[in-house]
Amino acid sequence: MDLVFMADKGGVGKSTLAFHVATRLRQLGLDVGLYDLDSRGTSSTWAGESGYLQAYDLRRLQCGAPAHQMVVWDTAPHPDAEMRAELARAADLVVIVANGDRDSMAAAGDLYRAMQAAGASDLAVVFNGLHPVGREGEACVAAAREEGLPALDAYVRRYSCYVQARWDGVSVVDRGYSRADNAWADICAVTDELLARAAARLQAAD
Ligand SMILES: Nc1ncnc2c1ncn2[C@@H]1O[C@H](COP(=O)(O)OP(=O)(O)O)[C@@H](O)[C@H]1O
Ligand SMILES: [Mg+2]
């Protein structure tokens, strides 16, 4: 099963979510590979440093990456039409990452429609970096759904442990970071919802 994290914008959390969702899938006992298509190499470097995820820098692989039971793709911002078509073919589920701001929501809507047009079999929108206090999360999910976007119920709140974990080349649960329990609970909730959605979709296609 291939989960492809995408966004038209940079800095919204594609790599952070791809790395952490892959880590969670591995913790659940699945055979996971992380495919990195971004020239920054963020998630492949991160996974390599962590020492527990199989990561492939797809830009450097001439012959493709080995298959895994679960593949999580991290991608570059602003995918062009050719890339969108390739990712639509590869994905069982395209996961569009958005922040709570207006431009990010508009960008998510544009990419959603472009990926639908490219023939993606299933799409979801996930919000990242939302305020941990208050109702920003619920408000974003409701606003996205009003625009016809398939927003997940689960979202990821803003915690500095994600930034620290990137510096240390580990996941938020690998050290005693402040608020890591909350951050990890968000990752687990998002992963569960993505798995349930992808499984339901694959079953329906059988
Ligand atoms: N939920 C979050 N809370 C706090 N910081 C975050 C969160 N998600 C991402 N970040 C930080 O935001 C920056 C951009 O995230 P990144 O995953 O690299 O985005 P992208 O891959 O979309 O460019 C990084 O410094 C990352 O540590
Ligand atoms: Mg990235």
Side-chain angles (χ1 to χ4, degrees), residues 69-147:
Q69 188 181 15
M70 290 290 311
V71 176
V72 176
W73 297 65
D74 183 24
T75 64
H78 317 300
D80 62 17
E82 194 183 335
M83 181 58 74
R84 292 197 300 268
E86 192 178 319
L87 292 171
R89 271 195 300 277
D92 294 300
L93 176 56
V94 170
V95 188
I96 297 174
V97 184
N99 293 150
D101 67 78
R102 183 175 173 173
D103 295 312
S104 166
M105 187 92 79
D110 289 344
L111 185 57
Y112 171 70
R113 287 179 284 277
M115 289 306 290
Q116 266 191 324
S121 59
D122 197 16
L123 289 137
V125 172
V126 64
F127 286 97
N128 176 51
L130 303 186
H131 203 290
V133 180
R135 301 192 52 81
E136 190 186 10
E138 286 77 6
C140 283
V141 170
R145 288 181 180 163
E146 254 173 53
E147 305 237 345

Side-chain angles (χ1 to χ4, degrees), residues 11 13-16 38 40 42-43 74-77:
K14 293 178 295 300
S15 300
T16 301
D38 190 353
R40 298 293 324 156
T42 302
S43 54
D74 183 24
T75 64

